[in-house]
Amino acid sequence: MNFYDDLRAAETALDHRLYAAGNALREGSATQVDATSALRVILLHTDPVPEEPEQQPAPSPSSPATSLLRRPQRRLVLAVNLLLVLVLALGVGFLIGVQRGQGAPAPTVQASTAVPSSTVIVTRTVTSVPQQCVETAELADEVIAKLNRNVRDKRLFLALRDYTIASQACRRQASP
């Protein structure tokens, strides 16, 4: 007998006692004394005379009591099976991924003895900077140095003016 069976048995006994007490009060008969003692037992939660449990048939394998006992086992088995399937799927996926990575053949370079008959023309780009642009860079450095030294007088004004003129000349020479 498990907890739920004990609970049902207690409910049944309580129902029977309350039914008997109700009948005794209605009839006003001699069973009234027994009913009041049963009410005292109910209220005080004591059972002076243990009642004989009703004979219940042995639970069959398909009864709900046995299925209740087997449910946690079934859930455990289901959880273990799901974990095994997950691990197996991850393992197979990993192996397939490794095989795809190894299965891609590396490009092979074949040595050929034939010399191509075409001639190769090499073009070199020579960058040349106009002299005005070099002077502009030097003037820009001079203006920045004066600003850093906090020289804010006529010298800065003249250097900035020279830089602006050189910058415009550089742009004219560099443009096609």
Side-chain angles (χ1 to χ4, degrees):
M1 237 194 215
N2 63 16
F3 174 74
Y4 294 108
D5 292 337
D6 291 340
L7 188 62
R8 283 190 200 120
E11 280 182 11
T12 306
L14 183 64
D15 288 341
H16 286 297
R17 288 179 181 170
L18 288 174
Y19 181 74
N23 283 342
L25 288 174
R26 274 187 233 114
E27 293 176 5
S29 64
T31 57
Q32 186 173 2
V33 176
D34 293 331
T36 56
S37 64
L39 282 174
R40 282 190 198 120
V41 168
I42 292 169
L43 293 175
L44 298 176
H45 301 289
T46 58
D47 197 1
V49 181
E51 293 184 17
E52 294 180 13
E54 297 178 11
Q55 292 293 342
Q56 296 179 353
S60 64
S62 64
S63 72
T66 358
S67 66
L68 285 175
L69 291 176
R70 290 186 184 179
R71 280 186 188 164
Q73 293 172 352
R74 287 182 184 171
R75 288 181 182 166
L76 179 64
V77 168
L78 179 65
V80 168
N81 284 336
L82 287 174
L83 278 173
L84 288 174
V85 168
L86 179 67
V87 168
L88 183 66
L90 288 173
V92 169
F94 177 74
L95 289 177
I96 289 173
V98 167
Q99 287 177 355
R100 282 188 184 168
Q102 292 175 353
T108 58
V109 178
Q110 297 178 354
S112 65
T113 57
V115 177
S117 63
S118 65
T119 59
V120 178
I121 300 173
V122 178
T123 57
R124 292 185 183 183
T125 307
V126 178
T127 56
S128 64
V129 179
Q131 186 61 29
Q132 290 292 330
C133 294
V134 175
E135 290 175 11
T136 304
E138 290 173 359
L139 288 172
D141 289 339
E142 186 181 333
V143 169
I144 291 171
K146 288 183 184 201
L147 288 171
N148 285 340
R149 282 184 266 135
N150 204 14
V151 175
R152 306 263 199 275
D153 58 2
K154 193 171 185 175
R155 292 176 292 176
L156 176 65
F157 169 73
L158 293 174
L160 193 55
R161 184 191 64 185
D162 292 342
Y163 165 76
T164 307
I165 294 169
S167 174
Q168 290 170 356
C170 174
R171 285 190 191 120
R172 273 188 238 118
Q173 275 188 343
S175 64

